[in-house]
Amino acid sequence: MADEVVLLSTWPSMFGMRVQIALAEKGVEYEYREEDLTKKSDLLLKMNPVHKKIPVLIHNGKPVCESLIAVQYVEEVWKEKYPILPSDPYQRAQARFWADYVDKKVCPL
């Protein structure tokens, strides 16, 4: 059975784009569903009942919420395809540092 992958997001969301980039880097085919955040879909509310926000990665009917968690999930599920992070622990730490920096300084919530 082929994987069913759906991404709920909205075009200006840097967090949604983060997941899109991870999926693209891994070569994962997915369905993109644009969400209207002024009128959230029943699917979004069902898949993310706690925060009710995007992005939500849905893999074979199971939701993965929060962009960094979704990127880590993509890395773990499709690990045989091009790694997102370097194999060297120090280089991985540096990549995580810059991702955290962007989250906190470039686009703080």
Side-chain angles (χ1 to χ4, degrees), residues 47-62:
M47 292 292 141
N48 192 353
V50 175
H51 297 295
K52 301 174 179 68
K53 62 182 183 177
I54 52 111
V56 178
L57 177 68
I58 306 168
H59 181 215
N60 294 330
K62 298 176 185 173

Side-chain angles (χ1 to χ4, degrees), residues 12-94:
S13 169
M14 68 176 271
F15 303 107
M17 288 179 199
R18 177 185 284 161
V19 181
Q20 287 180 285
I21 291 167
L23 291 166
E25 285 295 314
K26 292 291 190 171
V28 177
E29 292 185 27
Y30 66 97
E31 177 186 347
Y32 178 83
R33 292 195 190 170
E34 182 78 18
E35 281 291 324
D36 177 354
L37 299 181
T38 63
K39 186 176 182 225
K40 297 177 182 179
S41 71
D42 290 339
L43 182 60
L44 174 61
L45 298 175
K46 177 182 176 187
M47 292 292 141
N48 192 353
V50 175
H51 297 295
K52 301 174 179 68
K53 62 182 183 177
I54 52 111
V56 178
L57 177 68
I58 306 168
H59 181 215
N60 294 330
K62 298 176 185 173
V64 180
C65 304
E66 300 295 325
S67 64
L68 283 177
I69 295 169
V71 169
Q72 291 169 349
Y73 179 84
V74 168
E75 177 75 350
E76 291 171 6
V77 170
W78 292 280
K79 60 185 161 200
E80 73 283 352
K81 297 180 179 180
Y82 323 101
I84 294 172
L85 293 172
S87 60
D88 178 74
Y90 180 76
Q91 290 177 343
R92 270 196 319 271
Q94 291 299 303

